[in-house]
């Protein structure tokens, strides 16, 4: 099934510069229906209001980390099937394993480039032009 | 006639023998307690009530002082926290310098391309935008200077703490330096022990290494 690039995507990061970069890269790939949240709690509020098709989240945020957000998403019946990509500077093996055990679909380490983001989107959503 | 100093001295000698401890600034609280006990037993407190209360206050202040020092985990601060903070800041300077150079390289290439454009008006607009971007790259130098000031402040704080620990004879607490004691069980359950932040460029794995870990677990 072809990937619907009009799908609503939620990006979560406490650094506005990073939100801008990710949004810009997604736009260049054709994904223009992108909303932002600057922390986990804001993300959860938005997730209750809108049916997103993908979540891209940072890890190191306060008061709710990306890992805590992921766990809440995966334990919520209404949200648990939404694909979740972690984009983070946390790069130790324990981090990757913890995120995978919590149900993350893929893991991007910062700094990343456009090609990495695209390849992870393809792995999670399927091939697209 | 009572010889208060002699009684106090005898008690101090007894303390050293019983505890196998030297009298140092660290056990000032114990020394004050010994003095207070001697004072209470030997002196009419009513006629020296002000002096008595002043010593009570000193005892309390010293107890709080050493308790506060212990809560700060000073050995962890000088062996781990401050060096770690300084090296993070040094890494910031290094990485912003690299990023700035990448931006400047790209800007110079854009300017070369715009120089060969036939549409001079558009070329001028591009050059003007490039110039704005180059000028804003001044941030890297200014940020670097500010950060170096902070690194110097950290170094001075570290020196001061080391000196204070030596002069107060604070015993080293190896437990404070152990990884497993850095977080409570509640914090570990929430994953707080996993928040390390970015590693140095030398240590950080690339995306392929991350993918290998992800795919093998």
């Amino acid at each position: 099934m072809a990937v619907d690039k009009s799908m609503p995507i939620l990006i979560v990061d406490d650094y506005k510069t990073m939100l801008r970069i990710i949004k810009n890269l997604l736009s260049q790939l054709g994904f223009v229906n992108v909303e932002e949240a600057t922390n986990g709690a804001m993300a959860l509020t938005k997730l209750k209001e809108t049916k997103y098709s993908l979540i891209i989240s940072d890890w190191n945020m306060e008061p709710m980390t990306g890992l805590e957000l992921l766990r809440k998403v995966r334990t919520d019946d209404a949200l648990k099937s939404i694909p979740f990509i972690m984009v983070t500077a946390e790069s130790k093996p324990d981090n990757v394993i913890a995120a995978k055990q919590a149900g993350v679909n893929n893991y991007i380490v910062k700094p990343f480039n456009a090609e990495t983001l695209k390849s992870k989107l393809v792995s999670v959503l399927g091939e697209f032009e | 006639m009572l010889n208060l100093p002699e009684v106090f001295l005898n008690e101090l000698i007894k303390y050293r023998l019983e505890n196998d401890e030297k009298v140092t600034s660290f056990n000032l609280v114990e020394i004050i307690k010994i003095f207070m006990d001697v004072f209470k037993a030997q002196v009419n407190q009513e006629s020296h009530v002000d002096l008595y209360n002043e010593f009570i206050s000193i005892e309390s202040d010293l107890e709080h002082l050493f308790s506060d020092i212990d809560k700060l985990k000073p050995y962890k601060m000088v062996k781990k926290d401050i060096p770690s903070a300084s090296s993070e800041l040094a890494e910031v300077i290094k990485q912003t310098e690299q990023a700035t150079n990448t931006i400047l390289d790209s800007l110079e290439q854009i300017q070369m391309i715009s120089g060969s454009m036939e549409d001079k008006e558009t070329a001028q607009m591009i050059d003007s935008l490039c110039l704005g971007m180059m000028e804003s790259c001044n941030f890297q130098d200014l940020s670097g200077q500010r950060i170096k000031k902070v690194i110097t402040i950290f170094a001075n704080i570290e020196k001061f703490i080391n000196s204070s620990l030596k002069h107060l004879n604070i015993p080293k607490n190896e437990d404070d330096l152990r990884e497993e004691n850095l977080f409570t069980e509640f914090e570990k359950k929430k994953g707080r022990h996993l928040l390390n932040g970015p590693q140095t460029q030398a240590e950080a794995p690339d995306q392929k290494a991350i993918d290998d870990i992800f795919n093998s677990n």
Side-chain angles (χ1 to χ4, degrees):
Chain A
M1 193 160 63
V3 172
D4 176 10
K5 288 187 176 183
S6 67
M7 66 166 73
I9 298 175
L10 180 64
I11 55 177
V12 191
D13 200 304
D14 54 350
Y15 273 89
K16 292 197 173 146
T17 312
M18 186 48 63
L19 287 173
R20 198 170 155 185
I21 291 170
I22 297 176
K23 193 168 180 177
N24 188 296
L25 291 176
L26 286 170
S27 169
Q28 289 187 46
L29 292 169
F31 296 94
V32 295
N33 187 2
V34 177
E35 288 186 17
E36 301 168 14
T38 52
N39 60 66
M42 192 192 291
L44 275 177
T45 304
K46 284 182 169 284
L47 283 161
K48 303 272 185 219
E49 292 163 358
T50 305
K51 203 167 157 37
Y52 293 97
S53 301
L54 173 66
I55 302 165
I56 300 175
S57 175
D58 182 25
W59 184 320
N60 204 332
M61 300 181 287
E62 291 293 345
M64 189 190 292
T65 65
L67 184 68
E68 286 168 303
L69 172 63
L70 169 62
R71 285 174 178 159
K72 287 199 186 288
V73 164
R74 288 290 177 257
T75 51
D76 186 319
D77 283 339
L79 308 174
K80 65 184 178 189
S81 59
I82 303 176
F84 194 118
I85 298 177
M86 195 77 82
V87 179
T88 173
E90 302 293 346
S91 57
K92 295 200 169 180
D94 283 352
N95 293 103
V96 182
I97 293 165
K100 189 151 186 204
Q101 285 174 349
V104 85
N105 296 92
N106 222 311
Y107 198 105
I108 298 175
V109 70
K110 291 176 182 173
F112 63 96
N113 57 33
E115 202 168 310
T116 299
L117 179 62
K118 185 181 177 183
S119 78
K120 298 311 178 196
L121 287 172
V122 166
S123 81
V124 169
L125 303 173
E127 286 288 343
F128 57 84
E129 286 302 314
Chain B
M1 176 113 173
L2 160 74
N3 190 343
L4 187 58
E6 196 178 320
V7 174
F8 179 51
L9 178 65
N10 289 338
E11 289 299 316
L12 276 184
I13 290 168
K14 198 170 140 197
Y15 170 81
R16 287 182 87 212
L17 282 171
E18 282 173 0
N19 293 282
D20 195 24
E21 269 200 59
K22 284 199 289 193
V23 169
T24 69
S25 43
F26 182 65
N27 35 31
L28 258 178
V29 175
E30 299 303 317
I31 294 161
I32 300 274
K33 280 189 200 298
I34 292 169
F35 181 80
M36 295 304 298
D37 287 342
V38 169
F39 194 98
K40 272 187 269 184
Q42 306 287 344
V43 175
N44 183 340
Q45 290 161 50
E46 285 169 15
S47 54
H48 298 281
V49 68
D50 287 346
L51 187 60
Y52 182 79
N53 287 334
E54 281 160 17
F55 273 104
I56 292 276
S57 184
I58 291 172
E59 188 189 348
S60 170
D61 287 347
L62 284 172
E63 267 180 333
H64 282 116
L65 169 67
F66 285 104
S67 168
D68 287 348
I69 289 171
D70 190 53
K71 279 180 202 159
L72 280 174
K73 298 188 197 293
Y75 280 103
K76 179 175 167 276
M77 229 188 236
V78 293
K79 295 287 176 217
K80 225 174 137 70
D81 297 342
I82 294 177
S84 168
S86 297
S87 82
E88 294 283 351
L89 291 173
E91 195 71 12
V92 167
I93 295 176
K94 188 173 148 196
Q95 293 198 8
T96 52
E97 188 181 348
Q98 283 173 351
T100 307
N101 282 328
T102 303
I103 293 169
L104 292 172
D105 288 343
S106 298
L107 286 172
E108 282 164 7
Q109 288 194 41
I110 293 169
Q111 285 176 320
M112 275 176 59
I113 293 167
S114 74
S116 62
M117 283 173 68
E118 282 188 21
D119 180 349
K120 294 298 172 200
E121 201 181 318
T122 305
Q124 203 169 16
M125 278 167 59
I126 291 171
D127 283 344
S128 171
L129 287 167
C130 285
L131 188 61
M133 285 192 272
M134 272 203 199
E135 285 165 355
S136 70
C137 285
N138 276 306
F139 87 90
Q140 195 275 326
D141 170 54
L142 298 171
S143 316
Q145 288 184 46
R146 291 184 202 283
I147 289 168
K148 279 180 184 160
K149 273 165 81 169
V150 175
I151 292 174
T152 303
I153 291 169
F154 275 144
N156 290 335
I157 292 172
E158 190 180 340
K159 237 194 269 185
F160 170 75
I161 295 175
N162 270 323
S163 172
S164 303
L165 289 172
K166 183 182 156 201
H167 290 114
L168 288 172
N169 286 285
I170 307 275
K172 208 178 205 176
N173 187 348
E174 294 291 349
D175 278 350
D176 287 347
L177 297 171
R178 291 205 179 94
E179 288 287 339
E180 59 265 27
N181 293 333
L182 295 178
F183 298 94
T184 63
E185 283 309 313
F186 178 73
E187 284 169 331
K188 283 182 199 170
K189 206 173 158 195
K190 290 220 142 216
R192 295 288 156 160
H193 61 298
L194 295 168
L195 294 176
N196 298 294
Q199 298 183 71
T200 61
Q201 270 191 323
E203 294 167 335
D206 60 13
Q207 185 64 48
K208 187 178 176 316
I210 296 290
D211 291 344
D212 289 344
I213 298 167
F214 189 84
N215 294 326
S216 63
N217 279 278

